[in-house]
């Protein structure tokens, strides 16, 4: 049991650091000051886990009671602030690290929900929320459409990883096996989305484009 808890904590802290880096990069790109960068780092790295813990009754959330979550978030923010040029050169690796963080958070979130007695379906959804919550909050704070609502495989990848964990739980498999399998599939989906442009179907004609087309037709009639 101790080994599993240690494994889960390592995954959680690793995911926190990776997501905090992505939040700090977004903050620098929007020309926020150092305080804003640190805030975005902490929010991106921890808000998904905080939301999960509040929903399952794990209060106070681990991110607010364990100093290591704050430490890795601040460290990620400071690294990005002082060495942004180096981080920016690693744009592609950062995207891959983001995929790793998403995989970690999804499998950890699903497992923690199961430990607190939630049913498999809700545990899978909370695993997905753990993975996407920080990024959604980051995008909202930056007044952008959340990345998970766009067409790339992000939330779907997180849900797939969480589903592997809850399926393994139902079948009586070891958490380590199901978590590694789920994380690998999640990373694979994100890798293909990044490198090959895999995405979900999108509407061919949006409401805005339809309105523009209608206005254009009206102008031609005149």
């Amino acid at each position: 049991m101790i080994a599993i808890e240690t494994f889960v904590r390592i995954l959680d802290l690793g995911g926190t650091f990776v997501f905090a880096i992505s939040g700090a990069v977004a903050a620098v790109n929007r020309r926020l000051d150092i305080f804003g960068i640190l805030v975005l780092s902490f929010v991106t790295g921890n808000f998904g886990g905080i939301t999960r813990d509040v929903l399952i009754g794990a209060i106070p959330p681990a991110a607010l009671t364990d100093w290591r979550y704050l430490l890795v978030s601040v460290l990620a923010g400071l690294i990005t602030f002082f060495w942004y040029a180096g981080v920016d050169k690693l744009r592609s690796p950062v995207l891959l690290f983001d995929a790793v963080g998403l995989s970690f958070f999804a499998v950890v979130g699903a497992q923690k929900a199961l430990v607190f007695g939630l049913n498999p379906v809700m545990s899978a959804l909370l695993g997905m929320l753990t993975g996407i919550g920080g990024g959604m909050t980051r995008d909202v704070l930056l007044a952008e459409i959340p990345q998970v609502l766009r067409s790339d495989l992000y939330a779907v990848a997180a849900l797939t990883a969480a589903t592997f964990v809850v399926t393994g739980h139902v079948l009586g498999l070891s958490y380590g096996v199901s978590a590694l399998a789920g994380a690998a599939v999640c990373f694979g989906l994100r890798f293909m989305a990044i490198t090959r442009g895999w995405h979900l179907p999108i509407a061919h004609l949006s409401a805005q484009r339809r309105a523009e087309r209608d206005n254009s037709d009206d102008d031609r009639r005149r």
Side-chain angles (χ1 to χ4, degrees):
M1 184 66 179
I2 295 177
I4 292 178
E5 289 179 352
T6 302
F7 180 58
V8 169
R9 186 56 56 87
I10 291 173
L11 292 180
D12 213 17
L13 289 170
T16 298
F17 180 80
V18 171
F19 275 140
I21 286 283
S22 71
V25 168
V28 172
N29 289 337
R30 296 297 292 269
R31 301 188 60 80
L32 272 63
D33 61 19
I34 187 169
F35 179 76
I37 293 171
L38 295 180
V39 168
L40 261 293
S41 296
F42 182 81
V43 166
T44 308
N46 295 279
F47 202 80
I50 291 174
T51 303
R52 174 204 62 209
D53 288 352
V54 170
L55 290 176
I56 66 178
I59 300 173
L64 301 182
T65 58
D66 190 332
W67 59 270
R68 289 173 293 188
Y69 289 92
L70 177 62
L71 176 63
V72 298
S73 300
V74 171
L75 181 62
L78 292 176
I79 289 174
T80 305
F81 179 80
F82 287 107
W83 294 284
Y84 175 75
V87 173
D88 189 56
K89 290 179 181 178
L90 300 175
R91 183 177 300 274
S92 294
V94 166
L95 287 176
L96 294 180
F97 281 130
D98 181 83
V100 172
L102 181 68
S103 305
F104 286 175
F105 270 18
V107 298
V108 168
Q111 175 65 14
K112 191 164 186 178
L114 288 170
V115 169
F116 275 77
L118 270 68
N119 64 60
V121 174
M122 290 299 104
S123 296
L125 292 175
L126 276 181
M128 179 186 70
L129 177 63
T130 305
I132 69 176
M136 288 186 66
T137 308
R138 172 201 65 209
D139 293 343
V140 169
L141 290 175
L142 294 176
E144 298 178 355
I145 298 174
Q147 183 179 4
V148 299
L149 301 181
R150 303 173 194 172
S151 57
D152 64 343
L153 300 176
Y154 203 87
V156 171
L159 182 60
T160 301
T163 301
F164 267 77
V165 172
V166 300
T167 301
H169 175 78
V170 171
L171 296 178
L173 300 178
S174 166
Y175 168 66
V177 173
S178 58
L180 289 176
V185 172
C186 177
F187 178 81
L189 289 173
R190 285 296 300 144
F191 179 81
M192 296 306 293
I194 294 168
T195 60
R196 298 298 180 89
W198 283 14
H199 58 80
L200 296 175
I202 59 176
H204 292 293
L205 188 62
S206 67
Q208 181 178 0
R209 287 180 57 197
R210 188 164 56 246
E212 292 174 352
R213 185 190 64 181
D214 292 342
N215 290 334
S216 178
D217 291 341
D218 291 341
D219 291 340
R220 282 198 296 269
R221 292 192 195 100
R222 293 171 187 167

